[in-house]
């Protein structure tokens, strides 16, 4: 079946602009996660959605970052007033059990 | 808090063994292991839930010492396909949100 998809695959934006990154999880997966991966760094947790529960936003680095998940499916990560340090690969993952996470291919964000 | 992985990098010849360690300063509920090949998404290897539990995946196994807040990943008789970056993810009290280490780069050469 279809895996986790993310769009766009690459995004180049100017400093100060807003960007939206999209994630389509595997159908039926109730858990959805956003991570950020910078060069040479591990996977930095950003936000976690589980069903209709309030999301765990504890990993969001600043109030410029926000995310929503509509209808328990598609999720959008929004970064406002982008900064150069926001440049990274943003990975989305989904899970049915909460254990094995299936990752999407990621969106490479470059802020110039 | 981010777990600490060691070593940062390791180079093996095909058929050799390797151990990757993961330690945390916080009490752990579980440890997850993922492998990421260059330019690809991370792929789940295994999860360990109990202290001292050992799991296996082909010739890759892992242990989890809950008391020491440590986990080790064992790769035996390594194959070229084992090359990649290995990440451990730890779960504390935040439900299923994982904190990942910085990764261990493994290169298996012929």
């Amino acid at each position: 079946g279809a895996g986790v998809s993310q769009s766009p695959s690459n995004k180049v934006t100017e400093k100060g602009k807003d960007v939206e990154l999209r994630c389509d999880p595997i159908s039926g997966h109730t858990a959805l996660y956003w991570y950020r991966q910078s060069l040479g760094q591990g996977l930095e947790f950003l936000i976690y959605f589980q069903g209709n529960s309030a999301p765990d936003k504890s990993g969001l680095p600043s109030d410029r970052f926000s995310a929503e998940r509509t209808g328990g499916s598609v999720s959008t990560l929004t970064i406002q007033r982008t900064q150069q340090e926001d440049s990274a690969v943003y990975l989305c993952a989904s899970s049915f059990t909460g254990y094995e996470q299936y990752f999407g291919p990621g969106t490479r964000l470059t802020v110039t | 808090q981010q777990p600490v992985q060691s070593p940062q990098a390791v180079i093996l010849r095909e058929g050799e063994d390797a151990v990757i360690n993961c330690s945390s300063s916080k009490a752990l509920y579980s440890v997850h292991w993922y492998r990421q090949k260059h330019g690809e998404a991370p792929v789940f290897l295994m999860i360990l839930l109990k202290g001292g539990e050992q799991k296996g995946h082909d010739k890759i196994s892992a242990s989890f010492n809950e008391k020491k807040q440590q986990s080790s990943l064992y790769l035996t008789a390594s194959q070229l396909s084992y090359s990649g970056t290995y990440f451990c993810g730890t779960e504390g009290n935040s439900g299923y949100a994982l904190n990942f280490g910085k990764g261990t780069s493994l290169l298996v050469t012929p």
Side-chain angles (χ1 to χ4, degrees), chain A residues 1-71:
Chain A
V4 177
S5 61
Q6 293 185 243
S7 61
S9 56
N10 281 284
K11 177 72 176 179
V12 180
T13 189
E14 292 181 351
K15 178 182 174 182
K17 294 281 180 70
D18 298 351
V19 295
E20 287 189 349
L21 312 180
R22 177 187 168 104
C23 172
D24 278 278
I26 293 173
S27 178
H29 281 194
T30 56
L32 187 147
Y33 314 78
W34 282 98
Y35 296 92
R36 178 168 70 175
Q37 187 171 32
S38 303
L39 189 63
Q41 299 298 311
L43 298 160
E44 177 188 4
F45 165 72
L46 296 176
I47 189 169
Y48 158 58
F49 296 90
Q50 173 59 55
N52 295 321
S53 302
D56 176 357
K57 304 179 182 180
S58 60
L60 294 178
S62 77
D63 57 9
R64 295 187 296 105
F65 288 72
S66 63
E68 62 177 18
R69 188 179 184 191
T70 55

Side-chain angles (χ1 to χ4, degrees), chain B residues 40-109:
Chain B
E40 298 180 9
V43 174
F44 175 82
L45 291 177
M46 65 188 76
I47 177 175
L48 301 106
L49 296 174
K50 297 179 181 179
E53 180 186 10
Q54 201 141 355
K55 280 203 167 185
H57 179 280
D58 194 8
K59 291 183 180 178
I60 300 174
S61 62
S63 63
F64 175 29
N65 188 320
E66 186 180 346
K67 289 182 180 178
K68 291 187 176 181
Q69 297 156 196
Q70 293 176 345
S71 177
S72 294
L73 187 71
Y74 308 94
L75 300 101
T76 57
S78 59
Q79 305 169 17
L80 297 177
S81 62
Y82 287 3
S83 293
T85 301
Y86 289 78
F87 294 98
C88 71
T90 56
E91 180 188 353
N93 296 322
S94 58
Y96 299 121
L98 297 178
N99 291 305
F100 284 95
K102 291 187 177 182
T104 295
S105 175
L106 179 76
L107 176 63
V108 181
T109 61

